[in-house]
Amino acid sequence: MKEVKVLASTPYSVYIENNSIEKVGDYLQTAIKKPIKVLVVTDENVSALYLKKVVESLQKSGYKTFTCILKAGEGTKSMENFSKLCSVSASLNLTRDDALLALGGGVIGDLVGFTASCYMRGIKFIQVPTTLLAAIDSSVGGKTAINIEEGKNLIGSFWQPCLVVYDPETRKTLPKEQFLCGVGEAVKYAVLAGGRIYDILSSGKIDENFEELVELCVIEKAKIVHQDEKEHGVRKLLNLGHTVGHAIEKLSNFTALHGLCVAKGLYLLAKAQRFEGSISEDCFNKIEKMLNTYAFDLEIPYSVEDIVKEFVYDKKSVDGGVSLVKIKDIGDCFVENTAIDCLGEFLSCK
Ligand code: NAD
Ligand code: GLY
């Protein structure tokens, strides 16, 4: 078992252990001893695989459980489901002592976390991620959000979980492209942090080093969240590849998967920086090779002009500029405020 402590304003532990999905109740005992009520929220795919195990484990540890099963997919991060979860919580008389538990990927985690931050001005929140992406990114650090028609993640909050439990065995039921989405975020950490994360990813031996890889990514995220919980500075680094990635997601009407778009965004950035001369040929080759190891489709079916138009609506853009995360070398990235007007030229390598 691996434990990573996240020293946010309210500290908590992330536990990574095979078959921990059957021990969520035991882990919850480390965070909340009282026999509280727990509303377990999940999606249709995950419920069929893991809901029973989680519920049985919680009950065995003395918690009173309730369940809510939502449709799978990005559309679930909606105002309607936020409202539904608030009503379900109220009808169960949940109080601030009780908890909402997100069992699933980043969609369920973001929606349930946001609801937990608002219901009764904030109740306890537990993350049991079941995708690689959620394990190494969205379940840690307290960013929560839902989507509205005007944009993705536009309504959200910072609300830390009190516990995160990840069972690496759950990767075995993940559809291949969903696993690849997680690898896209792991490549982001490899470029940001370098070192062992880069070594594992560039070797192509993820499966052999899976638990260690998850632990190292979570440690990187925890370090950054500890320094800058509310994203005033260093946390922006976690958006490496995301500026272009989000634009692609939006242009696809959210049919393209987040982690796959991050990989495309990272590649376009690296290509543009190679052209600009701000990264070495060697650094570019390392990034390209790492992405090719996992056969990411790096084609972007949109023009640079269309991508740049999307930046104007990005919630991270301010006064005609965006905080673009750029690469110096593997393990060395920085944030640069860049005028949107200059990005077209930069990204089209002109
Ligand atoms: P997801 O939650 O949609 O899950 C992907 C799919 O896999 C779903 O169909 C789900 O039902 C299925 N699934 C989940 N676990 C499974 C398992 N073990 N076996 C079989 N099927 C399983 O997608 P995701 O990639 O986990 O998360 C994407 C979301 O996360 C996006 O909304 C994105 O904005 C958000 N996100 C948030 C943060 C953050 O910091 N809060 C960071 C990154 C991404
Ligand atoms: N996924 C980016 C962040 O948590 O800041």
PDB file of all heavy atoms in Angstrom, residues 80-92:
ATOM      1  N   GLU A  80     -28.376  20.202 -13.964  1.00  0.00           N
ATOM      2  CA  GLU A  80     -29.511  19.329 -13.614  1.00  0.00           C
ATOM      3  C   GLU A  80     -29.066  18.275 -12.600  1.00  0.00           C
ATOM      4  O   GLU A  80     -29.748  18.033 -11.607  1.00  0.00           O
ATOM      5  CB  GLU A  80     -30.057  18.604 -14.861  1.00  0.00           C
ATOM      6  CG  GLU A  80     -30.755  19.478 -15.879  1.00  0.00           C
ATOM      7  CD  GLU A  80     -29.806  20.401 -16.646  1.00  0.00           C
ATOM      8  OE1 GLU A  80     -28.645  20.008 -16.883  1.00  0.00           O
ATOM      9  OE2 GLU A  80     -30.215  21.527 -16.967  1.00  0.00           O
ATOM     10  N   ASN A  81     -27.911  17.672 -12.841  1.00  0.00           N
ATOM     11  CA  ASN A  81     -27.458  16.637 -11.903  1.00  0.00           C
ATOM     12  C   ASN A  81     -26.982  17.232 -10.582  1.00  0.00           C
ATOM     13  O   ASN A  81     -27.125  16.611  -9.530  1.00  0.00           O
ATOM     14  CB  ASN A  81     -26.360  15.781 -12.536  1.00  0.00           C
ATOM     15  CG  ASN A  81     -26.949  14.747 -13.476  1.00  0.00           C
ATOM     16  OD1 ASN A  81     -28.043  14.230 -13.230  1.00  0.00           O
ATOM     17  ND2 ASN A  81     -26.253  14.454 -14.563  1.00  0.00           N
ATOM     18  N   PHE A  82     -26.430  18.443 -10.643  1.00  0.00           N
ATOM     19  CA  PHE A  82     -26.056  19.141  -9.405  1.00  0.00           C
ATOM     20  C   PHE A  82     -27.314  19.330  -8.555  1.00  0.00           C
ATOM     21  O   PHE A  82     -27.347  18.992  -7.363  1.00  0.00           O
ATOM     22  CB  PHE A  82     -25.409  20.493  -9.760  1.00  0.00           C
ATOM     23  CG  PHE A  82     -25.361  21.472  -8.632  1.00  0.00           C
ATOM     24  CD1 PHE A  82     -24.597  21.212  -7.491  1.00  0.00           C
ATOM     25  CD2 PHE A  82     -26.080  22.662  -8.696  1.00  0.00           C
ATOM     26  CE1 PHE A  82     -24.559  22.121  -6.435  1.00  0.00           C
ATOM     27  CE2 PHE A  82     -26.044  23.567  -7.647  1.00  0.00           C
ATOM     28  CZ  PHE A  82     -25.282  23.304  -6.516  1.00  0.00           C
ATOM     29  N   SER A  83     -28.366  19.822  -9.209  1.00  0.00           N
ATOM     30  CA  SER A  83     -29.621  20.068  -8.511  1.00  0.00           C
ATOM     31  C   SER A  83     -30.205  18.751  -7.976  1.00  0.00           C
ATOM     32  O   SER A  83     -30.674  18.663  -6.832  1.00  0.00           O
ATOM     33  CB  SER A  83     -30.562  20.750  -9.506  1.00  0.00           C
ATOM     34  OG  SER A  83     -31.807  20.883  -8.968  1.00  0.00           O
ATOM     35  N   LYS A  84     -30.121  17.715  -8.804  1.00  0.00           N
ATOM     36  CA  LYS A  84     -30.649  16.403  -8.395  1.00  0.00           C
ATOM     37  C   LYS A  84     -29.910  15.893  -7.146  1.00  0.00           C
ATOM     38  O   LYS A  84     -30.535  15.427  -6.182  1.00  0.00           O
ATOM     39  CB  LYS A  84     -30.480  15.416  -9.556  1.00  0.00           C
ATOM     40  CG  LYS A  84     -30.901  14.004  -9.227  1.00  0.00           C
ATOM     41  CD  LYS A  84     -30.802  13.111 -10.438  1.00  0.00           C
ATOM     42  CE  LYS A  84     -31.023  11.655 -10.038  1.00  0.00           C
ATOM     43  NZ  LYS A  84     -31.161  10.779 -11.170  1.00  0.00           N
ATOM     44  N   LEU A  85     -28.582  16.008  -7.163  1.00  0.00           N
ATOM     45  CA  LEU A  85     -27.816  15.496  -6.009  1.00  0.00           C
ATOM     46  C   LEU A  85     -28.107  16.300  -4.740  1.00  0.00           C
ATOM     47  O   LEU A  85     -28.141  15.743  -3.640  1.00  0.00           O
ATOM     48  CB  LEU A  85     -26.313  15.520  -6.301  1.00  0.00           C
ATOM     49  CG  LEU A  85     -25.783  14.477  -7.278  1.00  0.00           C
ATOM     50  CD1 LEU A  85     -24.266  14.577  -7.401  1.00  0.00           C
ATOM     51  CD2 LEU A  85     -26.170  13.063  -6.840  1.00  0.00           C
ATOM     52  N   CYS A  86     -28.314  17.614  -4.907  1.00  0.00           N
ATOM     53  CA  CYS A  86     -28.671  18.428  -3.731  1.00  0.00           C
ATOM     54  C   CYS A  86     -30.014  17.952  -3.179  1.00  0.00           C
ATOM     55  O   CYS A  86     -30.176  17.783  -1.954  1.00  0.00           O
ATOM     56  CB  CYS A  86     -28.765  19.905  -4.101  1.00  0.00           C
ATOM     57  SG  CYS A  86     -27.180  20.636  -4.471  1.00  0.00           S
ATOM     58  N   SER A  87     -30.979  17.697  -4.067  1.00  0.00           N
ATOM     59  CA  SER A  87     -32.309  17.256  -3.613  1.00  0.00           C
ATOM     60  C   SER A  87     -32.227  15.881  -2.955  1.00  0.00           C
ATOM     61  O   SER A  87     -32.854  15.650  -1.909  1.00  0.00           O
ATOM     62  CB  SER A  87     -33.283  17.189  -4.788  1.00  0.00           C
ATOM     63  OG  SER A  87     -33.471  18.469  -5.288  1.00  0.00           O
ATOM     64  N   VAL A  88     -31.467  14.979  -3.559  1.00  0.00           N
ATOM     65  CA  VAL A  88     -31.336  13.637  -2.957  1.00  0.00           C
ATOM     66  C   VAL A  88     -30.702  13.772  -1.565  1.00  0.00           C
ATOM     67  O   VAL A  88     -31.167  13.177  -0.582  1.00  0.00           O
ATOM     68  CB  VAL A  88     -30.483  12.701  -3.860  1.00  0.00           C
ATOM     69  CG1 VAL A  88     -30.177  11.389  -3.151  1.00  0.00           C
ATOM     70  CG2 VAL A  88     -31.187  12.442  -5.181  1.00  0.00           C
ATOM     71  N   SER A  89     -29.656  14.596  -1.460  1.00  0.00           N
ATOM     72  CA  SER A  89     -28.983  14.770  -0.162  1.00  0.00           C
ATOM     73  C   SER A  89     -29.959  15.312   0.874  1.00  0.00           C
ATOM     74  O   SER A  89     -29.987  14.850   2.025  1.00  0.00           O
ATOM     75  CB  SER A  89     -27.793  15.741  -0.301  1.00  0.00           C
ATOM     76  OG  SER A  89     -26.892  15.263  -1.262  1.00  0.00           O
ATOM     77  N   ALA A  90     -30.753  16.295   0.456  1.00  0.00           N
ATOM     78  CA  ALA A  90     -31.709  16.896   1.392  1.00  0.00           C
ATOM     79  C   ALA A  90     -32.776  15.886   1.791  1.00  0.00           C
ATOM     80  O   ALA A  90     -33.158  15.794   2.968  1.00  0.00           O
ATOM     81  CB  ALA A  90     -32.343  18.130   0.757  1.00  0.00           C
ATOM     82  N   SER A  91     -33.244  15.099   0.819  1.00  0.00           N
ATOM     83  CA  SER A  91     -34.313  14.140   1.149  1.00  0.00           C
ATOM     84  C   SER A  91     -33.798  13.045   2.087  1.00  0.00           C
ATOM     85  O   SER A  91     -34.572  12.428   2.815  1.00  0.00           O
ATOM     86  CB  SER A  91     -34.924  13.549  -0.115  1.00  0.00           C
ATOM     87  OG  SER A  91     -33.960  12.721  -0.722  1.00  0.00           O
ATOM     88  N   LEU A  92     -32.478  12.833   2.088  1.00  0.00           N
ATOM     89  CA  LEU A  92     -31.892  11.841   3.013  1.00  0.00           C
ATOM     90  C   LEU A  92     -31.491  12.479   4.342  1.00  0.00           C
ATOM     91  O   LEU A  92     -30.897  11.823   5.203  1.00  0.00           O
ATOM     92  CB  LEU A  92     -30.651  11.199   2.366  1.00  0.00           C
ATOM     93  CG  LEU A  92     -30.900  10.361   1.111  1.00  0.00           C
ATOM     94  CD1 LEU A  92     -29.584  10.009   0.429  1.00  0.00           C
ATOM     95  CD2 LEU A  92     -31.674   9.098   1.456  1.00  0.00           C
TER      96      LEU A  92
END
